[in-house]
């Protein structure tokens, strides 16, 4: 892959370049932490976990050890996928949950967003330990130290994080421990105000002393179970003790001369691959902001989501047609359904979820593409030990006939997906775009931008769309011409202007890229829609 000089799209900031190692993520303190680990001789795995732990402190509404994680890894040319997502409790009976939930959609019971019922086993911490055990040079206690220090001493809250925190304040105010932890003085922190989390520092200290077992069966786990069951959930200490992360094979597809790698189901990486195949079949050459290109990308997205929501779940429990969905023949068949007008395909995107993503490439050329999340802002609204407990169980269907139906010990359909690029068998990039249903849409758009010759920063800077449901699509209208916006409307797209979308709490995700050229030099990009940066040395 070669980038054009001068690059075909003017970015908001220039790409970062470095000869040795690089970290790109959504917060400067986390990126700096990861680079320091690399400079001290750590591997991409060491830097990834140190970075992830700091993100738990500085973006606590998005991520934490109460959530799940996924990673794609490349060490010495070997590519692997780490699934650190948790499973439904053993007591998670479908009929029982249907009777207990107060939430409904179109008259049918659905999993609630808040409280104990949607809490599944938090897999992230076990994933951290698994990744370090396989590829790390440092022990868990060493890489947790920067996060412990920040949690104890406090960090200034950035403008973007403060906005999201304030939007979620009402949601967590009714849960006592959450309010005490995350709403000091009964309010969300203001931009620039220092926030400390001594409870989380204490939890990380216990993990550093006793290992992850303190959560998966120990004292910290007992506290998690207590909080969940007090709020109507079914999680047990036995569920935590039984948890284990799994290593799997990445899945991929060829796209415009490169191979895009994704994590296999239960995640939605297959949605991104199908959308890429459909888009390639349609043809999307040209400027990132052209009307025809945007139309085709939006329609490819909608088709892929329709298949994803119908079929993707835990392959240990249901047959997921992964090979069919990522095949070129199937993409050709599906592309035949797309014409010049917008169409609906019977699906709607998931809620505006929050996540953190980070990319690391070390001086040896090894890489980790890592993503960690509690799903919605502050997860279930519950807090134990200074960290939010995820509501990933909300992704389960309570329809007894659906592939993603709730079952004991089952992993749900998952939104968080790391990605990589490979060219002629060689590693090229570790990258991702966070943000619920924005993730496969972001992967489609960013991959298309990269293969058109936009450098990593420009590929992230380019205007984005976010499909919502039906024919509704949010656009960064201030960065598109009136002619393009009106042209899409004329095709039947129900365009949501960015101001309206922001007022709803919406966003276009946040991407990070570290690209490694054929000579080994690194080019990084960090999404201007977030607070982060790419940092190299």
């Amino acid at each position: 892959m070669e980038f054009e000089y001068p690059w075909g799209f003017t970015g908001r900031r220039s790409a970062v370049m470095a000869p040795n190692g690089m970290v790109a993520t959504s917060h400067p303190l986390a990126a700096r932490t990861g680079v320091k680990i690399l400079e001290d001789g750590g591997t991409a795995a060491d830097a990834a976990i140190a970075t992830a732990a700091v993100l738990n402190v500085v973006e606590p509404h998005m991520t934490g050890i109460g959530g799940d994680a996924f990673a794609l890894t490349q060490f010495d040319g070997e590519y692997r996928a780490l699934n650190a997502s948790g499973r439904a409790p053993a007591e998670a009976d479908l009929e029982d949950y249907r009777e207990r939930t107060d939430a409904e959609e179109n008259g049918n019971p659905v999993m609630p967003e808040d409280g104990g019922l949607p809490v599944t086993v938090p897999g992230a911490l076990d994933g951290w330990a698994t990744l370090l055990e396989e590829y790390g040079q440092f022990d868990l206690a060493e890489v947790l130290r920067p996060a412990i220090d920040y949690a104890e001493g406090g960090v200034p809250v950035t403008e973007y994080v403060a906005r999201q925190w304030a939007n979620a304040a009402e949601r967590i105010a009714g849960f006592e421990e959450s309010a005490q932890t995350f709403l000091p003085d009964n309010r969300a922190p203001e931009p620039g105000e220092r926030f400390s989390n001594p409870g989380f520092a204490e939890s990380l200290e216990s993990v550093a002393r006793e290992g992850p077992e303190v959560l998966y069966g120990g004292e910290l786990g007992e506290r998690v179970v207590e909080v969940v069951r007090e709020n109507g959930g079914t999680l047990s200490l036995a569920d935590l003790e039984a948890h284990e992360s799994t290593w799997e094979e990445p899945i991929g597809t060829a796209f415009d001369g490169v191979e895009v790698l994704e994590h296999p189901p239960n995640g939605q990486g297959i949605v991104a691959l199908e959308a890429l195949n459909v888009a390639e079949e349609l043809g999307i050459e040209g400027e990132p902001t052209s009307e025809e290109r945007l139309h085709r990308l939006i329609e490819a997205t909608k088709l892929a989501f329709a298949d994803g929501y119908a079929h993707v779940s835990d392959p240990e429990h249901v047959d997921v047609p992964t090979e069919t969905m990522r095949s070129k023949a199937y993409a050709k068949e599906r592309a035949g359904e797309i014409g010049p007008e917008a169409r609906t395909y019977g699906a709607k995107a998931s809620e505006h979820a929050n996540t953190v993503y980070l990319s690391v490439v070390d001086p040896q050329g090894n890489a980790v593409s890592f993503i960690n999340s509690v799903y919605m802002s502050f997860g279930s609204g519950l807090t134990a030990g200074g960290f939010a407990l995820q509501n990933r169980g909300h992704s389960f269907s309570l329809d007894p006939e659906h592939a993603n139906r709730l079952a004991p010990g089952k992993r749900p359909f998952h939104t968080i997906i790391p990605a990589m690029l490979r060219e002629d068998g060689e590693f090229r990039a570790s990258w991702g775009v966070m943000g619920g249903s924005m993730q496969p849409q972001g992967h489609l758009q960013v991959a298309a931008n990269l293969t058109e010759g936009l450098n990593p920063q420009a590929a992230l800077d380019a205007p984005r769309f976010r499909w919502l449901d039906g024919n509704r699509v949010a656009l960064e209208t201030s960065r598109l011409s009136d002619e393009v916006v009106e042209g899409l409307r004329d095709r039947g797209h129900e365009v949501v202007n960015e101001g309206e979308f922001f007022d709803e709490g919406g966003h276009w995700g946040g991407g990070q890229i570290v690209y490694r050229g054929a000579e080994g030099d690194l080019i990084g990009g960090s999404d201007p829609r977030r607070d982060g940066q790419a940092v190299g040395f």
Side-chain angles (χ1 to χ4, degrees):
M1 187 187 303
E2 293 184 0
F3 302 127
E4 298 174 5
Y5 296 88
W7 289 318
F9 186 86
T10 301
R12 299 185 191 179
R13 54 168 104 163
S14 59
V16 174
M17 302 185 186
N20 299 305
M22 186 175 289
V23 178
T25 193
S26 54
H27 197 287
L29 295 180
R32 176 201 175 277
T33 297
V35 168
K36 179 66 163 58
I37 292 288
L38 293 180
E39 290 177 320
D40 289 344
T43 67
D46 296 311
I49 302 311
T51 302
V54 171
L55 288 169
N56 280 210
V57 178
V58 298
E59 297 182 338
H61 62 302
M62 296 191 187
T63 185
I65 60 173
D68 285 342
F70 290 82
L72 291 186
T73 64
Q74 182 276 130
F75 282 81
D76 299 323
E78 180 184 21
Y79 295 80
R80 301 174 75 187
L82 176 64
N83 188 332
S85 66
R87 300 163 179 84
E91 297 176 31
D93 178 77
L94 179 63
E95 290 304 318
D96 177 49
Y97 274 48
R98 284 173 60 89
E99 292 176 5
R100 292 170 63 178
T101 183
D102 294 326
E104 63 175 44
E105 184 175 293
N106 299 323
N108 299 311
V110 295
M111 285 284 282
E113 296 178 3
D114 303 339
L117 273 186
V119 179
T120 50
V121 173
L125 180 59
D126 183 74
W128 294 4
T130 300
L131 187 60
L132 285 179
E133 182 178 352
E134 193 76 7
Y135 295 116
Q137 294 287 340
F138 297 163
D139 62 31
L140 187 58
E142 290 176 290
V143 299
L144 291 182
R145 177 47 53 189
I148 293 170
D149 292 342
Y150 281 131
E152 288 177 340
V155 294
V157 176
T158 65
E159 296 170 86
Y160 187 84
V161 170
R163 174 181 176 271
Q164 291 197 317
W165 205 316
N167 288 342
E170 184 177 350
R171 185 165 179 264
I172 62 174
F175 298 106
E176 183 178 0
E177 189 167 347
S178 297
Q180 290 176 349
T181 302
F182 298 116
L183 301 177
D185 301 321
N186 298 313
R187 60 173 176 79
E190 298 287 342
E193 189 172 356
R194 182 171 289 212
F195 171 76
S196 61
N197 192 342
F200 186 50
E202 184 177 336
S203 292
L204 289 183
E205 288 278 19
S206 68
V207 173
R209 289 192 308 270
E210 304 173 43
E213 293 78 17
V214 72
L215 176 60
Y216 300 102
E219 184 177 354
L220 189 56
E222 291 174 351
R223 177 57 187 153
V224 168
V225 168
E226 180 183 17
V227 169
V228 171
R229 297 185 81 92
E230 283 177 351
N231 287 275
T234 62
L235 189 72
S236 71
L237 200 62
D239 294 321
L240 295 176
E241 291 172 334
H243 175 74
E244 61 177 358
S245 300
T246 53
W247 287 102
E248 300 165 10
E249 290 294 320
I251 57 176
T253 193
F255 177 75
D256 200 9
V258 298
E259 186 178 8
V260 180
L261 300 178
E262 297 277 356
H263 203 290
N266 55 315
Q268 61 179 344
I270 185 61
V271 174
L273 297 181
E274 181 180 334
L276 284 163
N277 285 339
V278 171
E280 186 176 52
E281 181 68 29
L282 293 170
I284 55 166
E285 298 79 10
E287 287 296 312
T289 57
S290 73
E291 177 194 326
E292 183 65 34
R293 176 185 168 107
L294 287 170
H295 168 70
R296 293 181 178 185
L297 290 174
I298 292 167
E299 294 301 292
T301 294
K302 289 151 67 174
L303 270 176
F305 267 116
D307 286 338
Y309 288 142
H311 301 296
V312 173
S313 191
D314 185 348
E316 293 294 319
H317 287 251
V318 298
D319 182 20
V320 181
T322 301
E323 292 307 308
T324 297
M325 288 177 65
R326 73 185 183 106
S327 75
K328 298 293 186 180
Y330 184 68
K332 184 174 183 178
E333 176 186 330
R334 289 298 256 163
E337 301 178 44
I338 295 175
E341 305 296 322
R343 289 186 55 191
T344 59
Y345 303 95
K348 89 171 184 177
S350 62
E351 295 84 354
H352 304 316
N354 283 304
T355 298
V356 300
Y357 172 79
L358 63 97
S359 176
V360 183
V361 177
D362 66 26
Q364 289 70 45
N366 301 313
V368 174
S369 181
F370 191 90
I371 197 161
N372 203 153
S373 176
V374 292
Y375 196 21
M376 298 178 187
S377 289
F378 295 107
S380 62
L382 304 180
T383 296
F387 56 92
L389 302 178
Q390 68 180 1
N391 61 336
R392 191 55 67 172
H394 177 67
S395 296
F396 277 120
S397 172
L398 294 184
D399 177 354
E401 302 302 317
H402 198 281
N404 191 41
R405 62 189 173 273
L406 176 72
K410 184 179 182 180
R411 285 167 159 158
F413 172 96
H414 229 292
T415 58
I416 61 176
I417 49 172
M420 284 187 171
L421 292 182
R422 188 163 54 189
E423 184 177 32
D424 298 328
E426 297 292 325
F427 170 79
R428 278 294 170 262
S430 168
W431 64 291
V433 180
M434 53 69 64
S437 62
M438 185 63 219
Q439 294 177 61
Q441 305 187 54
H443 286 202
L444 169 65
Q445 294 172 73
V446 172
N449 292 341
L450 286 168
T451 56
E452 279 295 316
L454 276 66
N455 76 74
Q457 186 60 57
L460 293 170
D461 289 351
R464 287 190 200 138
F465 66 81
R466 182 167 184 168
W467 171 70
L468 304 175
D469 57 60
N471 284 330
R472 287 204 316 141
V473 58
L475 298 178
E476 293 185 297
T477 46
S478 69
R479 304 180 60 215
L480 296 170
S481 71
D482 291 343
E483 181 182 7
V484 167
V485 174
E486 290 309 312
L488 290 170
R489 285 196 170 110
D490 289 343
R491 291 173 181 264
H493 296 284
E494 299 171 17
V495 174
V496 179
N497 292 325
E498 60 189 303
E500 177 186 348
F501 189 49
F502 275 129
D503 289 343
E504 296 174 357
H507 58 79
W508 281 271
Q512 315 292 333
I513 304 173
V514 179
Y515 174 92
R516 190 172 192 263
E519 302 302 317
D521 288 339
L522 305 174
I523 307 174
S526 184
D527 208 308
R529 301 165 185 84
R530 288 293 186 270
D531 299 316
Q533 56 188 197
V535 181
F537 71 102

